[in-house]
Amino acid sequence: MLVSLWMVSILLHFSSGCILSSTPEEVTGYTGGSVVLSCSCADVQTQRPALRWIFNPGPNDSILVPYEQQHSRYKDRVQELNSDSPGNLSVLFSQLTVSDSGLYRCEANGNDYNEIRLTVKGKFDHSLQIM
Ligand SMILES: *[C@@H]1O[C@H](CO)[C@@H](O)[C@H](O)[C@H]1NC(C)=O
Ligand SMILES: *[C@@H]1O[C@H](CO)[C@@H](O)[C@H](O)[C@H]1NC(C)=O
């Protein structure tokens, strides 16, 4: 009995499909601009895995995807880019502000994840200081 439960759990683990490939871990954007947060399955997918993108993983996280659970600060700023392949879980993240800087986590089927650190810089950092 225990052995068969163990085998079932192993089968479930392998059949769940998407193993995430490693992506660039550091991304830089500029205020008002946009970035692609990359995430994709290393293995070919026929179906789209259950996808979650969260900011600041931990007790104070906030959800970008799925849209039904999305935090209001991300409204109309996050677009899934899966048109070509169901295994591509990348999103386009727009209208960046400096407070968007931090850690983003892409989760596939709740059992594998990748993290990307985003730094958003002010566009006019030093160039526009008026004397
Ligand atoms: C989460 O947010 C609360 C309220 O802003 C803060 O007091 C707490 O330190 C935060 N916890 C973490 C782990 O950042
Ligand atoms: C996923 O889609 C994005 C946006 O179309 C593209 O830039 C990226 O190269 C794709 N990634 C893979 C692994 O195909």
Side-chain angles (χ1 to χ4, degrees):
M1 181 62 182
L2 277 178
V3 170
S4 63
L5 278 178
W6 176 75
M7 289 184 65
V8 165
S9 73
I10 295 235
L11 281 174
L12 283 176
H13 181 77
F14 281 109
S15 64
S16 62
C18 176
I19 306 296
L20 296 175
S21 56
S22 54
T23 50
E25 285 162 15
E26 304 275 344
V27 176
T28 301
Y30 294 89
T31 55
S34 57
V35 288
V36 173
L37 299 176
S38 307
C39 185
S40 58
C41 306
D43 39 353
V44 173
Q45 303 292 306
T46 51
Q47 275 191 325
R48 189 159 174 80
L51 171 64
R52 260 161 56 93
W53 272 101
I54 62 178
F55 173 66
N56 194 24
N60 293 337
D61 63 1
S62 47
I63 296 178
L64 288 75
V65 175
Y67 297 134
E68 310 84 69
Q69 295 165 26
Q70 187 180 65
H71 191 285
S72 55
R73 71 194 271 198
Y74 301 120
K75 187 168 160 42
D76 299 328
R77 300 173 59 207
V78 177
Q79 187 190 342
E80 292 187 46
L81 296 172
N82 62 329
S83 50
D84 293 341
S85 118
N88 190 335
L89 311 178
S90 306
V91 292
L92 180 69
F93 187 26
S94 319
Q95 299 168 50
L96 298 173
T97 66
V98 171
S99 60
D100 290 325
S101 298
L103 196 64
Y104 291 81
R105 176 180 288 185
C106 163
E107 263 179 29
N109 294 329
N111 60 8
D112 193 8
Y113 67 81
N114 260 343
E115 291 180 337
I116 296 178
R117 183 164 293 281
L118 172 65
T119 305
V120 180
K121 296 180 175 173
K123 228 186 232 166
F124 304 115
D125 263 354
H126 300 290
S127 52
L128 268 193
Q129 287 177 0
I130 297 172
M131 295 291 171

